[in-house]
Amino acid sequence: MSDHPTDEPTLRLDGYTPIPPTHVAAVVTYLEMREPPPRRSREPLPLAEIGTDIARYRALYAAIGTPWLWFGRARLSDDALLAILGDPGVEALALVEDGRDVGLLELDWRRPGEVELGYFGLVPDAVGQGRGRRLMDEALARAFARPIRRFWVHTCTFDHPGAVDFYRRSGFRPYARAIEVAPDPRLTGDLPRMAAGQIPLLAE
């Protein structure tokens, strides 16, 4: 997905726009940070580099994202995913507790002068206990340890309802919106049919 949605859309919408029952649609919010927030004290986190272990990455991505209909990486072939994770400009880290991966922090440095928070999240039973704040503090420290112009992220209405507020409290500023329409990943086989039950499956 582009990080620069069109400022002046060619199609102006006012009212409802039908979506085929085979597709899903979400409103995407883009957020950015141009300067680092005040430095916070950081507790050491048990982070492990995932590297090119695509089986480990896929398992963690699914555990975090399936409830929120994350499908971007689920649709990639192993070769395509390996090309991303094996790029020296991408850093994928697992938060590990008691030998189990419970969080994902992925930073993408492939564009000069900026870094994208590519993926960020916790498995469901690890949410709400302060881990997200600590993991974000780690993300901010790593991002601004390099000379960058901006740190950016996008989230959508399929994600946790508190995602935008969390990013804003972390210091990100919303700057654009877009509408994403895609084939329903539960119909294409990229996600289980029972995934994200809060988003109705309309077509069989």
Side-chain angles (χ1 to χ4, degrees), residues 13-135:
L13 301 177
D14 184 8
Y16 297 99
T17 301
I19 303 296
T22 54
H23 285 58
V24 290
V27 177
V28 180
T29 299
Y30 296 82
L31 306 98
E32 68 180 1
M33 189 182 303
R34 295 282 180 170
E35 297 179 354
R39 185 182 298 273
R40 301 184 180 96
S41 60
R42 291 162 57 205
E43 301 177 29
L45 285 179
L47 295 173
E49 292 188 9
I50 297 175
T52 56
D53 188 342
I54 59 174
R56 183 180 188 180
Y57 182 93
R58 286 195 187 279
L60 181 56
Y61 180 91
I64 295 170
T66 297
W68 308 113
L69 214 68
W70 285 12
F71 58 82
R73 293 291 171 78
R75 286 185 169 162
L76 294 180
S77 67
D78 284 352
D79 287 345
L81 181 57
L82 189 61
I84 295 171
L85 297 180
D87 192 299
V90 175
E91 183 178 36
L93 302 164
L95 176 62
V96 184
E97 292 185 359
D98 299 323
R100 174 184 171 229
D101 291 346
V102 300
L104 174 64
L105 169 58
E106 184 177 336
L107 298 168
D108 188 337
W109 308 89
R110 288 177 292 177
R111 290 186 179 183
E114 63 181 57
V115 58
E116 178 188 2
L117 183 60
Y119 286 96
F120 179 92
L122 300 169
V123 298
D125 64 316
V127 174
Q129 302 165 49
R131 295 181 182 88
R133 169 52 51 208
R134 294 170 60 203
L135 193 59

Side-chain angles (χ1 to χ4, degrees), residues 152-172:
W152 71 276
V153 63
H154 69 264
T155 185
C156 76
T157 47
F158 289 157
D159 278 334
H160 190 287
V164 170
D165 187 52
F166 174 80
Y167 289 131
R168 293 182 69 178
R169 293 197 315 270
S170 300
F172 290 92

